[in-house]
Amino acid sequence: MQTEAKILWTSDNKETVENMVLLYAHNAKLKSWMEEVTVLVWGASQKLIHEDKKIQEKIKQMSKDGVKFIACLKCSDNLSITSTLESCDINVYYTGELLSQWIKSGDTIITV
């Protein structure tokens, strides 16, 4: 059975992002605590990524290390920042169905 960390990231609190979301997601992949790590980026977190170059660079590095980042296209279009997210190696598409599948699966979802 493959282990996967599923993280729903909506917070724009930089301390929480740096010291929980990105820290855990990266280490879970690098240290093989989980085989797969997927971070779903929604809402205010997208704006933080758009505005913070340090976080953009961290996401790019994490993507190279195998962490998957996905962002909600509706949110990014509302904020007019889709191209910024895509430039950070984030897969941007309509994610409501994906989140619904996660919920229906009964798997644990970390929500921050």
Side-chain angles (χ1 to χ4, degrees):
M1 174 191 250
Q2 186 169 340
T3 57
E4 181 179 8
K6 296 176 180 179
I7 302 169
L8 173 60
W9 170 21
T10 63
S11 174
D12 63 353
N13 180 291
K14 188 170 178 174
E15 288 76 21
T16 299
V17 170
E18 290 179 332
N19 294 297
M20 192 288 149
V21 177
L22 300 180
L23 182 66
Y24 174 76
H26 205 191
N27 280 319
K29 183 64 179 171
L30 288 176
K31 298 175 186 276
S32 299
W33 298 336
M34 296 285 183
E35 294 170 273
E36 298 291 329
V37 178
T38 303
V39 180
L40 175 54
V41 185
W42 261 21
S45 57
Q46 293 184 354
K47 189 173 179 186
L48 178 63
I49 293 168
H50 176 73
E51 294 172 349
D52 193 303
K53 299 292 184 199
K54 181 180 173 187
I55 290 176
Q56 289 176 22
E57 292 305 314
K58 179 68 175 173
I59 289 171
K60 289 176 189 177
Q61 182 58 54
M62 291 172 67
S63 292
K64 287 178 187 171
D65 291 336
V67 176
K68 297 176 193 171
F69 284 88
I70 301 166
C72 174
L73 178 59
K74 180 64 175 167
C75 298
S76 66
D77 280 351
N78 287 347
L79 297 165
S80 300
I81 59 172
T82 302
S83 61
T84 300
L85 299 179
E86 290 174 335
S87 73
C88 295
D89 302 322
I90 298 173
N91 189 3
V92 184
Y93 61 94
Y94 296 111
T95 57
E97 187 174 350
L98 172 70
L99 180 57
S100 296
Q101 290 171 353
W102 282 9
I103 293 166
K104 290 176 185 177
S105 75
D107 292 343
T108 300
I109 303 168
I110 299 168
T111 305
V112 181

